[in-house]
């Protein structure tokens, strides 16, 4: 029996919104010497047009599903999903929304069947998918439904010589701010923290993860004077999990949780809502931050930015976040393949 290590991991890369920068980012990713068999999931002709926008000579072939042992920079295979109508850079068309959804379905189903080893997603235009009549709040929720899994959104930066990696998970994702308090309860927070703890152990190889938990209110509620969510929900959740052996810090005031003195004390942070912590992370490492979905039965990473419609077709979009997402996916794949205890 041949060794699996002889073959490159098959990394599915969804092209995202056809009128955005996603296809150009995929073309630029293919020029990098990544140790992966890159499978673009999208329209092959559009990928050729995207490469031309970037002035790239890209060798595009159909994906036959066979594993390969070598890929040269400038080569990519495509699982072809034709657009319904040719893209107009910067002008999303609802007629192409279901092509986008089909690429996401193919990526998720392919990962679960073993066709792909992981998926990396370029940005989509959520508003256009909704305009087409398909309720869509984001990749995270889509993949969770497709895999019938409970998930957590995390954004992560690699860190550097002076700063440790910064990993921020979200208790709630794409909710209006007024809906956040009602979405929090003890069972939900316990489930989210268990997913984060398990992922830090299995995927990141941290034996005893330390997770900082943010409060919901200013000053983490100020002892109940600025809200009782910390007292009634967050602290009871943390106590339950501490008794099960989890190492949790908090509830922490969000305005001081990310100061330099705190960073080395935590391997990840759980924020209560989307904009509570992500501005901190994106202001520090926007070009290299990666969005990943914890709790899926496969590895999924993504860029941390949107479709940048104003740049589409210019060939000027920065591929740094997509490259970082691909590199992180490749690092996580061996852990995902490992037997779970």
């Amino acid at each position: 029996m041949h060794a699996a290590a002889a073959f490159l991991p098959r990394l599915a890369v969804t092209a995202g919104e056809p009128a955005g920068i996603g296809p150009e980012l995929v073309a630029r990713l293919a020029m990098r010497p990544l140790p992966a068999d890159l499978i673009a999931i999208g329209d092959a002709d559009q990928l050729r047009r995207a490469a031309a926008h970037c002035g790239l000579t890209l060798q595009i072939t159909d994906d036959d599903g066979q594993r390969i042992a070598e890929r040269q920079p400038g080569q990519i295979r495509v699982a072809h999903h034709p657009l319904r109508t040719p893209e107009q850079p910067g002008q999303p068309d609802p007629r192409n929304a279901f092509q986008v959804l089909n690429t996401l379905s193919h990526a998720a189903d392919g990962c679960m069947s073993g066709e792909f080893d992981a998926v990396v997603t370029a940005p989509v235009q959520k508003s256009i998918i909704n305009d087409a009549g398909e309720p869509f709040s984001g990749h995270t929720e889509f993949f969770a439904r497709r895999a019938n899994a409970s998930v957590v959104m995390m954004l992560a930066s690699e860190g550097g010589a002076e700063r440790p990696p910064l990993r921020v998970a979200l208790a709630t994702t794409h909710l209006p701010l007024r809906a956040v308090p009602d979405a929090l309860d003890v069972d939900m927070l316990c489930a989210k923290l268990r997913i984060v703890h398990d992922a830090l152990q299995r995927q990141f190889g941290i034996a005893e993860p330390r997770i900082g938990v943010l409060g919901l209110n200013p000053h983490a509620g100020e002892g109940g004077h600025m809200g009782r969510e910390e007292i009634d929900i967050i602290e009871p959740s943390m106590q339950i999990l501490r008794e099960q052996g989890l190492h949790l810090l908090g509830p922490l005031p969000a305005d001081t949780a990310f100061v330099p003195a705190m960073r080395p004390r935590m391997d990840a942070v759980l924020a209560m809502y989307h904009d509570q912590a992500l501005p901190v992370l994106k202001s520090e490492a926007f070009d290299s931050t990666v969005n990943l979905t914890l709790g899926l039965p496969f590895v999924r990473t993504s860029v941390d930015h949107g479709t940048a419609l104003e740049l589409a077709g210019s060939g000027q979009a920065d591929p740094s976040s997509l490259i970082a997402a691909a590199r992180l996916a490749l690092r996580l794949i061996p852990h995902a393949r490992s037997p779970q205890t």
Side-chain angles (χ1 to χ4, degrees):
M1 184 173 69
H2 54 250
F7 296 107
L8 293 174
R10 283 173 55 83
L11 194 61
V13 186
T14 58
E17 165 55 48
I21 61 172
E24 295 168 52
L25 299 182
V26 175
R28 291 195 178 279
L29 177 69
M31 304 305 294
R32 298 296 177 123
L34 292 170
D37 180 10
L38 297 179
I39 313 298
I41 305 183
D43 188 306
D45 293 328
Q46 186 196 15
L47 189 57
R48 293 186 180 93
R49 294 190 289 271
H53 289 316
C54 298
L56 303 176
T57 301
L58 189 60
Q59 181 182 339
I60 300 172
T61 56
D62 291 336
D63 177 39
D64 60 6
Q66 299 299 308
R67 291 189 175 267
I68 61 175
E70 185 178 11
R71 182 194 71 89
Q72 297 299 320
Q75 296 177 341
I76 193 168
R77 302 201 282 176
V78 178
H80 183 56
H81 287 264
L83 295 174
R84 182 170 293 183
T85 185
E87 79 283 355
Q88 297 296 321
Q91 301 178 41
D93 192 321
R95 288 175 292 179
N96 284 327
F98 289 95
Q99 185 263 4
V100 173
L101 293 175
N102 288 339
T103 66
L104 301 183
S105 297
H106 185 171
D109 295 349
C111 284
M112 289 186 287
S113 70
E115 179 184 0
F116 308 122
D117 296 308
V119 57
V120 177
T121 57
V124 298
Q125 190 75 15
K126 289 179 278 193
S127 60
I128 289 297
I129 297 174
N130 283 281
D131 288 346
E134 186 69 19
F136 184 87
S137 56
H139 281 105
T140 301
E141 297 84 355
F142 180 92
F143 286 132
R145 288 193 301 271
R146 196 76 184 182
N148 192 27
S150 297
V151 303
V152 174
M153 177 191 288
M154 173 180 279
L155 278 86
S157 69
E158 294 183 347
E162 297 181 358
R163 290 180 181 267
L166 180 56
R167 307 180 185 99
V168 179
L170 302 178
T172 64
T173 52
H174 302 115
L175 287 180
L177 188 56
R178 67 171 63 243
V180 171
D182 290 339
L184 300 175
D185 61 49
V186 171
D187 289 342
M188 183 267 266
L189 284 183
C190 285
K192 298 287 185 181
L193 282 164
R194 288 189 186 101
I195 291 171
V196 175
H197 180 268
D198 180 64
L200 291 172
Q201 286 187 321
R202 288 194 305 106
Q203 296 186 339
F204 290 91
I206 302 172
E208 297 183 3
R210 302 162 302 167
I211 304 172
V213 181
L214 301 187
L216 173 68
N217 299 294
H219 301 178
E222 196 76 72
H225 294 286
M226 291 189 184
R228 289 194 55 85
E229 285 81 6
E230 289 77 13
I231 294 172
D232 296 338
I233 299 172
I234 300 175
E235 290 178 1
S237 304
M238 296 175 66
Q239 183 59 33
I240 290 171
L241 296 178
R242 283 173 175 147
E243 292 174 358
Q244 297 174 8
L246 273 67
H247 187 169
L248 306 175
L249 289 75
L252 302 172
D255 61 349
T256 56
F258 299 100
V259 299
M262 289 293 294
R263 291 278 294 277
R265 298 177 58 193
M266 301 176 289
D267 298 301
V269 172
L270 181 73
M272 294 298 111
Y273 58 92
H274 189 279
D275 284 7
Q276 186 180 38
L278 296 197
V280 175
L281 189 148
K282 292 190 177 188
S283 66
E284 176 177 310
F286 182 75
D287 291 339
S288 60
T289 298
V290 177
N291 183 336
L292 60 154
T293 307
L294 311 180
L296 291 172
F298 54 87
V299 172
R300 179 260 167 166
T301 65
S302 183
V303 297
D304 74 334
H305 57 71
T307 53
L309 298 176
E310 70 281 2
L311 290 177
S314 71
Q316 300 302 308
D318 185 351
S320 298
S321 186
L322 189 68
I323 293 167
R327 287 174 173 162
L328 179 58
L330 292 174
R331 289 200 298 272
L332 297 181
I333 285 172
H335 297 287
R337 288 172 172 166
S338 299
Q340 297 183 24
T341 57

